[in-house]
Amino acid sequence: TSEKLPPFIRRLLEVVESELGLWSYHLRVVPWIGDASGHPGGRERQRAEIERVLANDRDGTVRASAAVAGFVVYCVGDPAREREVPVVEDLDSLDAPIRYMDASGNKIEAPGLTLRDVLVLHKEPEGLVRCSLDWQGRACVVLVMAPGAPSAAKARQADGGPVRRQSELTDGELAELWRGGGPASP
């Protein structure tokens, strides 16, 4: 149920960020197909990576749990702080052009496109989360905290940048972020 989402995600973040000590990571929720003898869904390469990890599940506990839940959480990461989340100017204006320096130092510009043009969901200015097409044209949607979200304002006051850790979000923001992309997924 929806009230169980924030505690579940908080525990997940505690394991990833505190217990495993990961700073730079990708966290994916992958559908599970079938019963305990089933397999992860998703892209072929991703499935192969997950199956390599599941080879260590000798008693089948993880597979059985994934079958009950209908998904498996997959995390790839590193304890080193590999790159900073880029600061994007004019995020408050949905009609601003897309122009920023990415985490690798590349200047990204999308001539003729505005933030509003690439928003898929959550276009209302007072929303907590924004869901848009990837600004570099990769085949994915990207969810970020909207500039008006309390955690975004707090992050800007602290260091001038965006929210860098999901653990910085309130329960309401965390739930909105994790629910936010569902309607955009096929």
Side-chain angles (χ1 to χ4, degrees), residues 37-114:
S37 63
H39 58 86
R43 295 176 295 206
E44 187 175 331
R45 186 175 130 215
Q46 183 174 291
R47 285 193 313 265
E49 290 173 359
I50 296 169
E51 286 293 351
R52 277 195 296 279
V53 172
L54 290 173
N56 296 318
D57 182 33
R58 300 199 197 297
D59 67 356
T61 304
V62 175
R63 288 179 179 276
S65 298
V68 170
F71 65 91
V72 64
V73 177
Y74 177 61
C75 182
V76 177
D78 192 305
R81 193 171 183 164
E82 292 179 7
R83 15 174 134 176
E84 290 295 329
V85 176
V87 175
V88 179
E89 301 298 322
D90 298 323
L91 277 180
D92 288 334
S93 172
L94 293 178
D95 297 312
I98 295 174
R99 211 177 19 230
Y100 69 103
M101 189 78 64
D102 75 6
S104 299
N106 300 313
K107 186 176 179 183
I108 306 297
E109 289 190 44
L113 285 179
T114 67

Side-chain angles (χ1 to χ4, degrees), residues 157-179:
Q157 288 174 346
D159 67 5
V163 174
R164 298 183 192 284
R165 309 285 276 177
Q166 291 182 45
S167 54
E168 298 171 16
L169 305 179
T170 66
D171 282 357
E173 291 171 327
L174 195 59
E176 189 70 23
L177 180 70
W178 277 84
R179 281 191 207 108

